Amino acid sequence: MHSETTVEPQAQTCPEPVHGAQNAFRPALLNPSDTEDEAALQALLESGAVREVHDRIDDQLEELVRCLWPGASLDASGLAAAATEACAGVPRRCYGTWVWYPWSGRLVHVLPAEEFRLVRTDRNRDKITRAEQQTLLGRRIGVLGLSVGNSAALTCAMEGVGGSFRLADFDRLGLSNLNRLRAGVHDLGVEKTVLCARQMYEIDPYLDIEIHPQGVTEETIGDFFGTTHASGLDLLIEECDTLWAKVGVREYARARGIPVLMDANDRGLLDVERFDEEPHRPLFHGRAGAITARDVRDLDRAGALDLLLRIVDESHLSPAMTDALGRIGDTLSSWPQLASGVMLGGALVTDTARRILLGAPVPSGRYYVDLEALIGADHTAPRALATSDHATTVGTAS
């Protein structure tokens, strides 16, 4: 894990043409105090491409004042005066950034980056201090697999865990994904990387997001992890279904000392592999033996299923998942997954990622936050925690 990573937003310097909006995923950031940006802004407004202008800069400035001086007692006129003072003589229209989202046709006025993030994350305090928030915004997170991973990426973005992201998935959004992805029918057919990046940029337009719409392959895995130390990942969230990629990215992560998190979306299973602290740790806590990514390429269907069951530990699967194993490809089209489990996984991954990136002691292991055991269990006879180096099951309630 890198000690410092400087993140610079990589937004477009001019608005994307209307005809290029279909595959756009990065907004244009326009500073009206800059002559070229002001000209681009005027051209955009005259182009007919803007469907909505959303300017709530006055409200944002008042929120900024309240965040900076929470103990101040200000009436409406005093608050307005303090907001004007915060602009330091810059006209309201020219203060901050106009953000152009070409995929939705929205033009949105927001505070400058530092003030925007201070206000947006103010309610995180002091669960996350401002100093910790700055540290987190300097980290780069990779997310591989954007069905389950979509929830993790969005929750990280909302919480301010990471300021730079690499998103990888080869798939497009299908109707059957809408049981667990926060998207709409108007998004069907959109690349999952593009969809996720758009959603994250609509939360924070100052993020730095790079997409890999072909997924991670032998040819692209190096680029995904970063070709230099400065561009490298600080943490990897792995949520893909491709066995070669699951093994291959762990080999890369271990060689580079990058921690890996995986939510399996069954019984609240969270895997933590601290390759940053244990450079020789076996992949998947040793459950897969000494298998390599090269070995995985030669597995037939039965061998691949056997490896997957060893990775997830078949004996700990939920009854529903166990029952599904023999029916996939027969009476079931794929693995069963629920939105509630995906959202829980996003929370588990984000909380754990935050603590790892801030240097808190989070050991490698397998952890279960099993809601069926926690809620509705026999509260008169609490279950003991089952703990080992490889598995911690949370199944008690009080």
Side-chain angles (χ1 to χ4, degrees):
M1 183 169 61
H2 310 316
S3 58
E4 292 295 335
T5 302
T6 301
V7 176
E8 296 292 340
Q10 295 182 351
Q12 298 164 215
T13 57
C14 60
E16 179 155 349
V18 179
H19 59 74
Q22 182 177 359
N23 296 316
F25 70 92
R26 184 178 290 139
L29 305 185
L30 300 171
N31 176 7
S33 295
D34 178 88
T35 303
E36 290 187 5
D37 279 9
E38 170 63 16
L41 181 59
Q42 290 303 315
L44 179 62
L45 288 167
E46 295 167 5
S47 70
V50 179
R51 297 191 183 100
E52 177 186 347
V53 176
H54 197 76
D55 187 356
R56 305 291 294 187
I57 199 67
D58 292 344
D59 296 343
Q60 295 172 55
L61 282 164
E62 291 183 3
E63 281 195 88
L64 175 63
V65 170
R66 295 188 187 279
C67 291
L68 291 174
W69 299 285
S73 179
L74 297 172
D75 58 17
S77 61
L79 188 60
T84 298
E85 185 178 350
C87 291
V90 178
R92 296 281 178 103
R93 181 192 172 281
C94 297
Y95 187 75
T97 304
W98 286 89
V99 185
W100 166 236
Y101 294 102
W103 54 89
S104 66
R106 292 190 179 97
L107 183 64
V108 186
H109 194 184
V110 298
L111 294 170
E114 185 176 347
E115 289 88 347
F116 176 89
R117 283 174 162 166
L118 185 148
V119 175
R120 200 186 73 78
T121 62
D122 186 68
R123 293 293 293 273
N124 287 356
R125 295 195 303 150
D126 271 332
K127 290 189 173 184
I128 306 172
T129 68
R130 282 183 176 160
E132 288 173 334
Q133 200 79 72
Q134 286 300 113
T135 296
L136 291 169
L137 288 169
R139 298 293 182 250
R140 180 178 285 107
I141 297 174
V143 186
L144 172 59
L146 293 170
S147 291
V148 175
N150 176 281
S151 178
L154 291 185
T155 308
C156 282
M158 282 188 277
E159 196 162 296
V161 177
S164 180
F165 293 84
R166 288 203 182 101
L167 309 176
D169 196 308
F170 62 84
D171 204 5
R172 293 175 179 269
L173 185 74
L175 183 57
S176 62
N177 294 135
L178 295 186
N179 79 320
R180 61 195 186 280
L181 266 74
R182 188 180 68 81
V185 291
H186 60 285
D187 295 310
L188 294 175
V190 175
E191 292 173 342
K192 289 180 178 177
T193 51
V194 169
L195 173 68
C196 190
R198 288 176 176 178
Q199 293 171 326
M200 294 168 74
Y201 273 128
E202 288 172 354
I203 295 167
D204 183 347
Y206 295 109
L207 290 172
D208 167 22
I209 302 176
E210 178 183 313
I211 68 170
H212 292 251
Q214 304 306 314
V216 169
T217 67
E218 291 177 87
E219 292 74 28
T220 64
I221 191 169
D223 289 337
F224 178 73
F225 274 89
T227 55
T228 66
H229 178 80
S231 66
L233 298 179
D234 294 292
L235 182 138
L236 173 65
I237 299 168
E238 185 277 299
E239 301 293 351
C240 72
D241 294 329
T242 305
L243 271 177
W244 178 89
K246 294 181 88 70
V247 178
V249 295
R250 281 170 173 79
E251 290 177 340
Y252 256 75
R254 183 171 60 183
R256 288 157 178 76
I258 299 168
V260 177
L261 301 179
M262 177 188 74
D263 164 63
N265 195 226
D266 186 62
R267 292 190 62 208
L269 186 162
L270 177 70
D271 246 13
V272 180
E273 295 173 276
R274 296 299 305 271
F275 297 125
D276 53 325
E277 297 181 339
E278 303 168 85
H280 303 294
R281 185 176 183 83
L283 308 185
F284 306 105
H285 317 297
R287 284 181 168 81
I291 198 164
T292 67
R294 179 168 299 187
D295 298 331
V296 171
R297 289 184 304 188
D298 299 325
L299 292 177
D300 57 17
R301 182 175 179 178
L305 179 59
D306 175 70
L307 174 60
L308 184 60
L309 292 177
R310 282 189 284 137
I311 289 173
V312 299
D313 190 354
E314 184 179 5
S315 66
H316 280 79
L317 292 177
S318 67
M321 187 65 79
T322 301
D323 177 66
L325 289 176
R327 299 196 292 123
I328 295 172
D330 182 12
T331 60
L332 290 175
S333 60
S334 188
W335 305 99
Q337 294 177 315
L338 295 176
S340 53
V342 170
M343 300 307 163
L344 173 63
L348 295 174
V349 166
T350 300
D351 183 89
T352 306
R354 182 187 71 243
R355 289 185 283 131
I356 288 174
L357 293 173
L358 290 176
V362 180
S364 294
R366 174 158 290 180
Y367 304 87
Y368 292 86
V369 182
D370 190 342
L371 296 184
E372 288 194 26
L374 281 166
I375 302 169
D378 182 0
H379 294 184
T380 63
R383 306 175 190 179
L385 295 181
T387 307
S388 72
D389 177 54
H390 297 322
T392 300
T393 303
V394 180
T396 60
S398 58

